[in-house]
Amino acid sequence: MTKAIIKTDQAPAAIGTYSQAVKVGTAVYLSGQIPLVPATMTVISEDFTEQTHQVFKNLVAVCEAAGGSIQDMVKVNIFLTDLSNFATVNEVMSQYFTTPYPARAAIGVSALPRAVQIEIDGIMELPSTN
């Protein structure tokens, strides 16, 4: 199968040796998004809720660039520097997803790039090849 590299200026540019997403068939593998504002490549703020919203906005942009929507995500991995923020993640996530929700994992980590508090990656399954 051919793989297609997904890239959009509506999400932060890759800051390393990776692509924003890679599409193979109808599966799209999304790289981790952190709360960077695409236009400035700076962290949105120190506020956890604002960081979480920015991460989801970035994921929405990559999903749309791949020809789908965030609702097409089937697996989400959430990396948190403080697991006590998980209730906030649930609250924010409910504003971006409707049922059926994707499968999900929440992982506590000691640190994330640029000292942010949250990173999310995942897998999206498109309804058909585009």
Side-chain angles (χ1 to χ4, degrees):
M1 272 193 184
T2 304
K3 69 180 179 179
I5 303 304
I6 306 303
K7 182 177 180 186
T8 177
D9 60 3
Q10 300 302 305
I15 53 176
T17 54
Y18 63 91
S19 300
Q20 290 172 327
V22 177
K23 178 180 164 188
V24 180
T26 58
V28 179
Y29 302 90
L30 288 84
S31 291
Q33 287 293 326
I34 61 174
L36 296 179
V37 177
T40 62
M41 292 297 288
T42 59
V43 177
I44 182 107
S45 80
E46 294 297 316
D47 180 75
F48 181 77
T49 301
E50 288 182 24
Q51 285 195 12
T52 305
H53 275 290
Q54 187 62 51
V55 168
F56 279 109
K57 289 175 186 175
N58 294 342
L59 289 169
V60 165
V62 176
C63 288
E64 290 176 353
S69 76
I70 197 165
Q71 193 62 34
D72 295 319
M73 291 187 77
V74 296
K75 177 69 165 95
V76 175
N77 297 306
I78 303 168
F79 303 92
L80 300 165
T81 57
D82 183 350
L83 286 173
S84 71
N85 285 324
F86 198 69
T88 302
V89 172
N90 278 333
E91 165 65 26
V92 174
M93 189 171 170
S94 72
Q95 296 172 45
Y96 292 88
F97 288 96
T98 58
T99 57
Y101 299 120
R104 162 178 94 178
I107 302 115
V109 297
S110 63
L112 289 166
R114 306 244 178 133
V116 300
Q117 302 171 66
I118 184 168
E119 179 173 356
I120 301 176
D121 71 9
I123 301 169
M124 178 173 69
E125 181 67 28
L126 296 171
S128 63
T129 55
N130 293 328

